[in-house]
Amino acid sequence: MAIGDGIRRNIAEVSPIERDRFIEAIRKLDTTKFFPDGVSYWDKQEEIHKNAHFNGVDVHGGPAFIPWHRVIVNRLEALLREVDPALSLHYWDWTTDPRVASGPRAALFTDQFMDNASGEVSHLLANFESSEDAELGNGHAKIWRAVGVSDANPDGTPNIATDSSILLNTDFSSFASALKSAHDFVAHSYIGGTISDAHYSFHDPFVFLLHSNLDRLWAKWQTDPAHPERIQSATAYAGLTPGQLTSLISEHVEPWAGGTGLDPWASDPTKRAVINYLDVSVVSPPCYDSNGSDFRIVEAENPLNSATSRYQVVFNDVPELETTWRSATFSVRTCGDVTAQIKPGTTPTAPFSVATPSVLSKAGPTQYRDIRVWFEFTAGALGTAPQSLGPVNTTVTVGSQDFDLELLGNTIPRPTVAVELSLDQSGSMADPAGTSGAQRLDVLKDAAALFANLIQKNNGIGLTRFDDDAYPPNHATFGGLPISEITSDGFGDPVRGLALNAIAAHGAHGATSVGDGLAMARSELNALPAGAYTDKAIVVFTDGLENRPQSIADVASAIDNRTYAVGLGNETQVNTLALTQIAGSTGGALLLSGTLSSSLDDQFRVRKFFLQILAGVSKTDIVVDPVGHVLPGAEVRIPFALTEADINARVILLTTLPVLHVAVETPMGDLLDASSGVPGLDIERNAEVTTVALSLPLPAPQGPAHAGTWHAVLRIDKRAYKKLLARDDDDPKLRDLRTKGAAYCLSVHALSNLRMRTRLTQSGFTPGSELMVRAVLSEYGVPVEGRARVAAHVTYPDGSATTQALAEEPGGTFSLSMPANQSGIYRFTVTAEGGSVRGVPFTREAMLTAAVWPGGDRPDPEPGGSSDSHEGGDWCHLVRCLLENGALSGKLRERWREQGFDLDALRDCADRACRD
């Protein structure tokens, strides 16, 4: 018997310690706890009892007698817990003699507990007054007893109806009559004294033990497994007359509704509970140790197959190679511990298995809870789908009751994507990336290499380059990588190595033909054999305006693959209008970096763009994506929420220097890293990225870890930190490490059935245009409605920021419309938070950008055009060519910068002049 488990038990059989705590709490209610009117919590109980007797429904002789006394017992228990939160309001079994100890039962009327059984109290309850003498003149100013003087059997026990005879009654009317008879004609008179008179009985603490027993018998009658209707409000009072039912519906439970003049409820509306007797808080039985138990399968999750008389556990549309869990869910109504386990001899066979062969559900303060027995299904190898598997039979025993199940599953091909990286290698890529200290080429290489390292196995990656023209992968000078399949998730995958080598060889020379680059990327994707990949996508990275044919406009109609564009620069330095239109029309997006600085956000901005694109092409979701610093000796804990709808997850740690150690902590507190040896936990690491892949549920030491709040735990590796600090070069990254700590970006991605898809559209590209953000949430293909909030954190071109809520619309859609009055780039971080279908918290994030500028709605000038097509066009293209295509040596550029020439500003002026 655990103190604090919320179960009401026979007060004679709980531990002496608990009885001591109980009586001490009663005494404190009388001496230390007071209502605003100065009346103690204890003395208020007698006021409540008297007040209710003379107001509203007759709570002593009418139909509300039993439910009203449940309410007062529940409320006193709540007051007791204000004094001692572990206590429950236990009961006296009124078929036993409370004066006598017998077997496990202690005597209750002792100097240490309920005081005297005969005459006035004189020990622990000596200060408990009664108003009898003042009102009746019977000489009793204190509570008093006369136990066993009336209605006693020869052995001293009460001459009262047996519990079983009361419980045999089949409707509430007859049951209440029998129960009330035992209460009225024996229980009170057997104790005698103050309790024998209903109008004074609530001066005596023992009356609550008596009424807890009355409520226990109602709870036991209600929880008969054969009669689930007895705990439903609409049918709980079956057998009463229509008039009696009407009174229970129309009358409030007083005085707590504030309608009978008793304070504090009459004067303070915040204290009131305005309910009737059909309220769930009245009808629901509290947890007693004698309640009946009921076990049922939740057919909404596990439907019955009438042909086989088995409940189904269905694994729908599981992608090849993946393992997923589904549960048999049982609704349990019991006040004790209960175990659900696979019946011996019925363990399911492959491809099904049992993830949790035995589940112990501990007793708690509520008797209603769900128990889940989890089963596992592993889909077949690539090329085996579609398959329909099962049924495979098994049986789960809950308590002593068997439930026959059948497991079924079907598989689908795992979605794969071929991604063609189309990378700008024009001369301007050798320019500085703003004030960040890095060249644009460095930014491109870092971001593209990150993408190559992280793209999941079974997907394809290819690379082509463009400057004046685009070059096929086998070009002798500017060759790239033909689309090739990644065969493992490890960083050592050979195709990743080829992709990384191709990225590392990227240079800066020539002019810019973005259209050629897009056309070459499309050609590579369309040359793939039919069915080689489920999806195809283009990722184009450019830092300048196209100045050689073909233009984006020339090829736009032919681009039929999802296209993502990353523009390294501001809104006038790349073909923002054309790239936005082609990305938007294919289901992709344009992400603009702006002028990069050395700020923490800018250090990771373009790499985060590629993580966003990776999530988009692989149909995964970003759970969280924060940046920050870790100080030496400190530990940074980053929470992230996973739900039962998540299939697997990956923690991606980006750093500027290889100095951070990452571990993950499960919702149950297991701290896991590369040394943990937990199956399904795979960690990969190189100089600037560490990944922690989580197969869900993860078989952690304290049990399978899946839904709940996880943490990524970051700390500095002391040895690596000391080694880096020993370097004496003036690397900006080292300066940052010394002064601020280790910079990080942590992004958590989930392959999930709970998805957020976002899109940003704009009415135009000039200041004053409207920006429209739209997010759609779904779970298992069903719209998420009424259980999520979506907001957009907006950073304006001038650096100011605000957070705006997206309005919820039907179909799991959330939208925001706002004017873009400032010229420049608008950055949006769209965040969603809510609960899964099982109520588990979730979060989602996505990045979007938009831009407006004067003249933004004008089509970009045709690359390579003459002065006839745009006044001064030849001069524009000449200046662009000089600035972007390597005409100026790196030394000359550096000398000019030292003398005060801002080449980025000069290029911006040329871009604006060409547009105007």
Side-chain angles (χ1 to χ4, degrees), residues 651-653 659-664 671-674 683-685 690-692 711-716 746:
V651 177
I652 302 168
L653 173 65
V659 71
L660 284 179
H661 173 274
V662 59
V664 292
L671 189 64
L672 309 174
D673 59 15
I683 297 180
E684 295 282 337
R685 181 172 182 170
T690 302
T691 64
V692 183
H711 288 83
V713 183
L714 308 183
R715 59 175 176 79
I716 287 180
L746 187 121

Side-chain angles (χ1 to χ4, degrees), residues 763-774:
S763 64
F765 293 83
T766 56
S769 298
E770 201 75 11
L771 306 182
M772 287 78 74
V773 179
R774 176 185 172 94

Side-chain angles (χ1 to χ4, degrees), residues 570-582:
N570 64 33
E571 68 280 2
T572 63
Q573 291 174 329
V574 298
N575 296 94
T576 300
L577 173 60
L579 288 171
T580 298
Q581 290 172 338
I582 197 168

Side-chain angles (χ1 to χ4, degrees), residues 793-872:
H793 181 77
V794 187
T795 302
Y796 293 86
D798 65 0
S800 62
T802 186
T803 298
Q804 299 191 40
L806 276 66
E808 183 170 1
E809 301 170 359
T813 300
F814 300 78
S815 65
L816 168 69
S817 180
M818 57 172 281
N821 295 321
Q822 297 180 23
S823 179
I825 297 174
Y826 291 75
R827 307 186 193 284
F828 294 80
T829 300
V830 180
T831 60
E833 59 180 29
S836 69
V837 291
R838 296 176 188 246
V840 178
F842 74 84
T843 62
R844 294 290 183 265
E845 288 193 18
M847 291 188 299
L848 302 167
T849 65
V852 296
W853 65 98
D857 285 335
R858 297 177 188 173
D860 294 322
E862 286 295 317
S866 68
S867 59
D868 293 335
S869 63
H870 192 285
E871 185 176 352

Side-chain angles (χ1 to χ4, degrees), residues 721-803:
Y721 180 68
K722 289 179 180 178
K723 185 176 181 180
L724 284 169
L725 290 186
R727 289 166 44 181
D728 59 2
D729 57 67
D730 194 34
D731 185 338
K733 296 177 182 178
L734 279 175
R735 290 202 305 269
D736 193 54
L737 177 65
R738 292 187 182 103
T739 58
K740 300 177 183 178
Y744 71 84
C745 167
L746 187 121
S747 191
V748 178
H749 292 208
L751 177 63
S752 180
N753 289 301
L754 202 165
R755 298 170 179 146
M756 181 175 78
R757 298 295 174 255
T758 58
R759 187 180 181 190
L760 191 155
T761 58
Q762 49 192 106
S763 64
F765 293 83
T766 56
S769 298
E770 201 75 11
L771 306 182
M772 287 78 74
V773 179
R774 176 185 172 94
V776 179
L777 287 168
S778 64
E779 186 174 8
Y780 300 109
V782 178
V784 172
E785 296 181 309
R787 49 187 173 93
R789 297 184 302 275
V790 180
H793 181 77
V794 187
T795 302
Y796 293 86
D798 65 0
S800 62
T802 186
T803 298

